């Protein structure tokens, strides 16, 4: 089975069937073993009636106790051996399914990381969740076809061959029966694929909406819109339920016909065998064997129908995975090296200039204006930004990510112990193109960003971690947890308060120690006393490094070397906090409003 750190390989993205084939090829020895175990197991199930017929014809009818004991002993031995084969078949196929499950998860997660910031623009969160929760399981279950499915085909052919020794007519009925069943069930399988695909699409949309609602429930409550949104969600959920009923209707017909038609088919074979025995054309032992063959055929026929059902669902899920894997990250056309020394960043669209080694603040009435400037300077949006005398877009993305770090106030926090959440002792799993180096909502790569920018200075020490926690005023967060840095933290920091989460995010960014840190609203969830502490310590922690903070807190603005006042996304004034308070009425009104909010 695939190891947690093993390369899953390059998936075949040419289609759903090809992707399933790739999963089989990646573990072909195990799949071959599963098919072998299943084939022998099912053939021996069919051989049981043959042994019973020999015991009747050669032992019971003539009264030969020796022959009866011999054939009965063979029957017991075959049964015991077949029980062991059944265990090995199940164990092997479980490993096949688990390998396919984990391999697909690794492929999807790895591709999500490669997409980086482009992920949210190309696919919804609900789609990724649906793939990870539902489609992965469906794909792995469909690989039953390589074990019992192959075994069913082999056993079916074996039974047909054995039936030839009894009656050519019975053998023809047996050999032609399953193709007829396939013709009857084929249209239903095609209809199932269409309805399953539509159901999965609706499910991913609704899953994304659940995530959005969970994140904005407090805002909806405050605006009084919870009831309205709940009604809309209830209607969408009802439509999904109706689509699920339509999928279930097709599935129920497949399962009903899959059980009923084989029974009619097997009843026909039994009736024909009984007529032949009554006519004296076959012996009593052969009649017993015919009945046993009919019963034994129940397993392979059931497995063949189940295999077709699971493959129909599996290829739908595989097509969704393939569609996701076909998404491409933003093109990286950079061919020029970044400036060797710390250099100024300049955004022509806004007029913001960030000088190296300075603490620069961006203040505007609309937080989105400052965030857009940060996006352009961090190269998360197309722009004509300059890094020194080099256009930022011309620098390879890996170089940008290794030196410039964007940290949002709502950056993802991953589940784990606190020291790993901040970034200590995290395995180096960063992709080559560097698209993961953004501590940002939806970026899904906060740990990798931290690991990347720290590699320049070698492995971090415990002192680095302590200094980052102190600078972010997060010492008390560690002290409040029962096991300190080794305490578990829930995904997105749900086990922490809002202020604690924000300080942990800031500590993670400071622990990364990038050459350029672009922080969006790093203290928006903190009380005034804690915010003042962070503002004082942030300046000292980033001494000599380039730092940009976006926000309107006067406590942060007062510590900045340079403040850019933004109006409609453009710089209208630049200076220190106190200079702008004296000279710019608009800036003074903006900061005064913030002061009132603090009080």
């Amino acid at each position: 089975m695939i190891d947690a750190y093993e390369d899953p390989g390059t998936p075949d993205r040419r289609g759903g069937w090809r992707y399933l084939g790739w999963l089989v090829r990646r573990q072909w020895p195990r799949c071959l073993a599963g098919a072998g175990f299943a084939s022998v197991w099912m053939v021996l199930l069919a051989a049981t009636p043959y042994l019973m017929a020999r015991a009747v014809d050669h032992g019971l009818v003539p009264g030969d106790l020796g022959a009866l004991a011999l054939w009965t002993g063979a029957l017991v031995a075959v049964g015991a051996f077949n029980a062991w084969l059944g265990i090995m078949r199940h164990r092997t196929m479980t490993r096949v399914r688990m390998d396919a499950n984990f391999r697909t998860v690794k492929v999807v997660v790895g591709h999500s990381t490669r997409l980086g910031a482009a992920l949210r623009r190309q696919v919804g969160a609900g789609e990724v969740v649906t793939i990870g929760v539902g489609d992965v399981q469906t794909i792995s279950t469909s690989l039953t076809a390589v074990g019992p499915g192959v075994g069913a085909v082999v056993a079916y052919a074996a039974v047909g061959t054995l039936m030839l020794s009894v009656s050519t007519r019975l053998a023809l009925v047996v050999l032609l029966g399953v193709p007829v069943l396939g013709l009857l069930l084929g249209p239903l399988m095609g209809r199932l694929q269409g309805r399953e695909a539509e159901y999965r699409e609706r499910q991913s949309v609704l899953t994304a909406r659940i995530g959005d609602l969970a994140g904005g429930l407090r805002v909806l409550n405050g605006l009084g819109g919870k009831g309205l949104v709940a009604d809309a969600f209830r209607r969408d959920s009802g439509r999904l339920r109706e689509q699920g009923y339509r999928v279930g209707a097709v599935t129920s017909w497949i399962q009903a016909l899959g059980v009923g038609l084989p029974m009619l088919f097997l009843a026909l074979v039994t009736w024909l065998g009984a007529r032949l025995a009554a006519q004296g054309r076959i012996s009593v032992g052969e009649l017993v064997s015919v009945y046993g063959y009919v019963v034994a055929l129940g397993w392979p026929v059931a497995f063949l129908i189940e295999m077709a059902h699971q493959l129909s669902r599996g290829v739908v899920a595989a097509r969704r995975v393939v569609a996701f894997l076909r998404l491409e990250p933003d093109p990286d056309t950079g061919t020029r090296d970044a400036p060797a020394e710390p250099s100024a960043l300049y955004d022509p669209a806004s007029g913001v200039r960030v000088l190296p080694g300075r603490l620069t603040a961006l203040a505007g009435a609309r937080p989105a204006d400052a965030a857009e400037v940060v996006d352009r300077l961090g190269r998360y949006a197309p722009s004509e930004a300059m890094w020194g005398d080099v256009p930022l877009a011309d620098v390879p993305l890996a170089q940008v990510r290794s030196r410039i770090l964007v940290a949002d106030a709502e950056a993802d926090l991953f589940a784990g112990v606190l020291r790993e959440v901040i970034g200590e002792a995290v395995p180096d799993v960063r992709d080559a193109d560097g698209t993961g180096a953004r501590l940002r909502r939806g970026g899904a790569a906060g740990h990798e960003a931290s690991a990347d920018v720290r590699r320049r200075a070698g492995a971090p020490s415990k002192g680095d971690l302590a200094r980052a926690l102190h600078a972010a005023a997060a010492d008390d967060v560690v002290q409040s947890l029962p096991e300190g840095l080794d305490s578990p933290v829930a995904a997105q920091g749900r086990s922490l308060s809002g202020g604690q989460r924000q300080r942990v995010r800031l500590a993670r960014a400071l622990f990364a120690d990038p050459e350029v840190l672009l922080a969006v609203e790093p203290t928006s969830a903190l009380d005034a006393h804690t915010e003042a502490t962070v503002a004082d310590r942030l300046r000292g922690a980033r001494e000599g490094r380039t730092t940009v903070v976006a926000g309107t807190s006067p406590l942060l603005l007062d510590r900045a070397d340079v403040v850019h006042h933004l109006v409609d996304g453009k710089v209208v004034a630049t200076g220190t906090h106190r200079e702008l308070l004296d000279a710019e009425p608009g800036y003074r009104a903006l900061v005064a409003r913030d002061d009132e909010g603090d009080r």
Side-chain angles (χ1 to χ4, degrees), residues 143-391:
L143 292 192
T144 301
V146 304
V150 172
V153 174
V154 173
Y156 185 72
V159 169
T161 303
L162 290 172
M163 293 285 278
L164 281 173
S165 65
V166 177
S167 167
T168 303
R169 181 186 302 176
L170 291 176
L172 288 175
V173 171
V174 169
L175 293 175
L176 294 176
V178 168
V180 172
L181 291 177
L183 291 175
L184 293 174
L185 293 175
L188 288 176
M189 295 297 181
R191 183 178 299 179
L192 176 64
Q193 287 190 27
R195 293 190 174 178
E196 183 85 15
E198 185 179 349
Y199 176 79
R200 291 291 185 182
E201 183 67 28
R202 290 178 180 268
Q203 187 182 40
S204 67
V205 172
L206 197 62
T207 302
R209 189 163 299 173
I210 291 173
D212 294 339
L213 288 175
L217 196 57
R218 291 184 179 179
V219 177
L220 288 173
N221 254 336
L223 297 175
K226 186 171 69 171
L228 183 64
V229 174
D231 290 339
F233 181 82
R234 192 177 295 111
R235 288 193 299 271
D236 291 340
S237 181
R239 285 194 287 267
L240 178 64
R241 183 179 62 247
E242 293 299 325
Q243 181 65 24
Y245 288 156
R246 287 192 284 272
V247 173
V250 179
T251 302
S252 65
W253 273 107
I254 291 175
Q255 292 176 344
L257 293 176
V259 174
L261 291 177
M263 289 302 102
L264 293 175
F265 162 63
L266 298 180
L268 173 63
V269 175
T270 304
W271 179 74
L272 289 174
R275 282 181 58 85
L276 291 174
Q279 295 168 1
R281 298 173 63 178
I282 62 175
S283 66
V284 175
E286 289 175 330
L287 176 61
V288 172
S289 67
V290 167
Y291 179 75
Y293 293 147
V294 169
V295 174
L297 273 177
W299 283 95
V301 171
F303 270 121
L304 285 173
I305 294 174
E306 178 66 16
M307 176 187 71
H309 180 210
Q310 294 297 344
L311 280 176
S312 295
R313 300 182 69 235
V315 74
V316 172
R319 286 169 183 163
R320 290 168 57 83
V321 170
V322 166
F324 177 77
L325 295 178
R326 286 174 176 169
L327 300 177
E328 295 294 337
D330 293 334
D332 182 11
T333 57
T335 56
R336 301 177 61 181
D337 286 336
E341 300 296 329
S343 301
L345 285 168
Y346 175 61
D347 174 36
S350 63
V352 168
R353 184 179 297 276
V354 178
L355 298 179
R358 309 285 292 276
L359 175 57
T360 303
L362 308 178
R366 292 195 311 169
D369 290 341
E372 289 173 1
V373 174
V374 168
D375 277 349
R376 292 192 291 267
L377 294 178
R379 199 175 153 187
Y380 284 96
S383 72
E384 298 179 358
M386 301 291 294
W387 192 0
D389 58 355
V390 180

Side-chain angles (χ1 to χ4, degrees), residues 426-447:
V426 176
D428 178 11
V429 293
R430 177 180 173 276
D431 52 285
D433 65 4
T435 53
R438 182 185 180 106
L439 303 182
R440 179 177 185 87
R441 180 202 297 270
H447 290 295

Side-chain angles (χ1 to χ4, degrees), residues 470-496:
H470 180 72
D475 311 78
D476 63 325
V477 178
V478 179
Q479 295 166 5
S480 66
L481 297 176
E483 299 177 47
L485 286 170
D486 295 316
S487 300
V489 175
Q492 300 301 348
R494 294 188 182 93
S495 54
L496 304 174

